[in-house]
Amino acid sequence: MSNQDELLGEYKEHLLGVFGDPSLVLVSGEGVHVTDANGKRYLDLLAGIAVNALGYAHPAWVRAVSEQAGTLAHISNLFTSPGSIHLAEKLLKVTGAPEGSHVFFANSGSEANEAAFKLARRHGRAHPDAQGRPRTRVLALENSFHGRTMGSLSLTAKAAYREPFEPLPAGVTHIPATAEALERELDDTVSAVIVEPVQGEAGVHGLPEGFLALARRLTRERGALLIVDEVQSGMGRTGAWLAATAQLPRGEFPDAVTFAKGLGGGFPVGAMLTAGPEVSALLGAGQHGTTFGGNPLAMAAGLATVTTLENENLLDNARDVGAHLAQRLREVPGVGEVRQYGLLVGVDLVAENTEDAENAGTTGGPMAQRVVAAAREAGFILNATGPTTLRLAPPLIITAEQADTFVEALPHVLETVRAR
């Protein structure tokens, strides 16, 4: 039995099985590669699910976190630190937030969306409907994913995630991303509309053209907030600080934006940005908080990440390498549609039979899961978001040459799966 097998056995013995059985025990990383407990090296095309924007052990990130750990790691929310002030300033600047905007720091995307949900509730009380009653409804989209805590879970659409924990917080209506549904449902009982500009967990799908711009116009006209979840798509992942920027008219901005994942470059950091003084005033002292949010260690990680993304032109790299990778993937036999937003890429595989296209799949699971396993054997880490859909979200430092090694290996990976 290998060292990795022993560790995986101990994992099952000691850790709660909410993630299923992990496939690897990873012990180190450098650049865009990680190494497992048996010493095998992998090209990581998932980056901790769009988290490790700078890859692994980036010198600027390591230096910032190490120096901060040696001085001050945690201080509670009774105090503040220079890092939280500087990172908030940086976020407001790079996103182009309007004057009077503010930032709340949390620890994860779910926490950031919980804060946004509470913001929507406060807005609903501050701006009642025509009968003077608080607006209690929130519109979210079908196929959305906003987190697994009770509030963010109520915003998430997937029934398999929601049903085991019902009743969830009430008042959320899931609608298709169509103009008709938005026009019909967005009345004066709605306090907010929350959307992901790119639905990563659903297989990397962008919103229909014009939908986000319509949502911005209608929420303004009808007195609701527009909340944009950029937890996965933000911080350079799609080649821009905000994926929403490309979908909104020039000069327009959401009322609130949530971040996490790539913001900390591997350290847990979440954030909610509130746009302008009126929205920023909705949550007052004592109405929300977190013990660990905005701690100096997290702020050092976030500031190092954002600064490095700027200094190394990694947003440009995400656009350029992402476009290159997508074009190469489209040339691979057995690959169908490829959806690319910077370095967030969804790959639909061509199913050979009905079983491959169904959730049940064939022996060994759905086709995409078998491709993930075969790719891992070949030294590549990626994941499946559906029976025939792969998701790639590599570190933003990846080069075209490194991405090409996966494209060149993919035909053999697909042949291996079919042969089995």
Side-chain angles (χ1 to χ4, degrees):
M1 181 179 291
S2 70
N3 184 45
Q4 182 158 257
D5 290 337
E6 292 174 358
L7 288 169
L8 289 174
E10 293 177 12
Y11 177 98
K12 293 182 70 172
E13 185 176 348
H14 301 303
L15 278 86
L16 197 65
V18 294
F19 302 113
D21 293 337
S23 56
L24 299 172
V25 177
L26 299 178
V27 297
S28 65
E30 183 179 7
V32 294
H33 293 88
V34 291
T35 302
D36 71 16
N38 288 344
K40 184 174 179 177
R41 196 163 177 253
Y42 304 83
L43 176 65
D44 185 4
L45 296 167
L46 191 58
I49 313 182
V51 167
N52 298 309
L54 306 181
Y56 298 89
H58 190 288
W61 190 92
V62 171
R63 182 170 55 253
V65 172
S66 299
E67 290 177 357
Q68 188 62 54
T71 56
L72 194 65
H74 175 73
I75 55 175
S76 88
N77 54 31
L78 298 176
F79 311 98
T80 192
S81 68
S84 63
I85 298 167
H86 297 329
L87 181 55
E89 290 175 336
K90 194 74 161 176
L91 276 178
L92 295 173
K93 179 182 177 181
V94 299
T95 59
E99 288 293 324
S101 299
H102 290 73
V103 176
F104 166 76
F105 287 115
N107 307 287
S108 68
S110 286
E111 283 193 20
N113 285 331
E114 290 281 345
F117 198 176
K118 290 178 74 172
L119 189 78
R121 289 283 197 249
R122 290 288 300 136
H123 178 78
R125 286 185 172 275
H127 299 82
D129 65 16
Q131 284 72 46
R133 298 170 300 194
R135 296 167 178 252
T136 57
R137 295 176 65 216
V138 173
L139 302 184
L141 297 184
E142 294 177 355
N143 301 313
S144 61
F145 182 87
H146 297 289
R148 295 178 186 266
T149 50
M150 292 298 277
S152 61
L153 184 58
S154 68
L155 301 171
T156 295
K158 191 171 181 179
Y161 293 157
R162 296 162 51 86
E163 289 174 354
F165 304 102
E166 291 176 342
L168 296 170
V172 179
T173 302
H174 291 93
I175 64 171
T178 65
E180 295 78 13
L182 193 60
E183 288 269 14
R184 181 181 65 250
E185 295 290 342
L186 183 46
D187 57 24
D188 70 353
T189 68
V190 173
S191 64
V193 176
I194 182 167
V195 301
E196 301 159 277
V198 181
Q199 294 182 324
E201 295 295 322
V204 189
H205 291 274
L207 297 175
E209 185 174 357
F211 181 85
L212 192 57
L214 177 64
R216 175 66 289 183
R217 179 172 66 82
L218 291 180
T219 50
R220 283 201 194 284
E221 291 175 358
R222 303 181 186 183
L225 298 180
L226 176 62
I227 300 171
V228 175
D229 178 342
E230 295 263 10
V231 167
Q232 186 164 166
S233 59
M235 291 294 102
R237 172 56 53 187
T238 65
W241 293 109
L242 298 177
T245 300
Q247 302 179 39
L248 287 171
R250 186 177 181 84
E252 289 285 6
F253 201 84
D255 294 301
V257 185
T258 56
F259 305 96
K261 291 191 180 288
L263 176 57
F267 198 94
V269 184
M272 177 182 68
L273 186 160
T274 52
E278 183 179 346
V279 177
S280 297
L282 288 171
L283 289 172
Q287 292 184 332
H288 196 56
T290 168
T291 298
F292 293 102
N295 69 78
L297 196 54
M299 299 298 93
L303 197 55
T305 300
V306 177
T307 301
T308 303
L309 290 173
E310 283 188 305
N311 292 345
E312 298 188 3
N313 299 315
L314 293 181
L315 276 65
D316 292 341
N317 192 66
R319 291 193 296 271
D320 295 344
V321 177
H324 172 84
L325 173 59
Q327 185 54 44
R328 291 291 315 275
L329 286 167
R330 292 184 181 106
E331 299 167 359
V332 175
V335 169
E337 183 182 4
V338 177
R339 296 172 295 281
Q340 177 256 332
Y341 303 86
L343 278 170
L344 184 57
V345 183
V347 182
D348 286 345
L349 303 172
V350 178
E352 290 196 317
N353 52 54
T354 303
E355 275 192 319
D356 275 340
E358 294 175 349
N359 285 325
T362 58
T363 302
M367 181 183 186
Q369 292 285 8
R370 288 179 281 133
V371 170
V372 167
R376 189 167 59 245
E377 292 175 8
F380 303 94
I381 292 176
L382 52 148
N383 87 317
T385 60
T388 57
T389 301
L390 306 174
R391 173 176 51 180
L392 310 179
L396 304 187
I397 63 171
I398 194 171
T399 65
E401 292 74 21
Q402 290 168 330
D404 282 344
T405 63
F406 169 67
V407 177
E408 290 157 7
L410 185 56
H412 177 69
V413 168
L414 295 176
E415 289 172 10
T416 299
V417 169
R418 292 183 181 115
R420 290 174 179 172

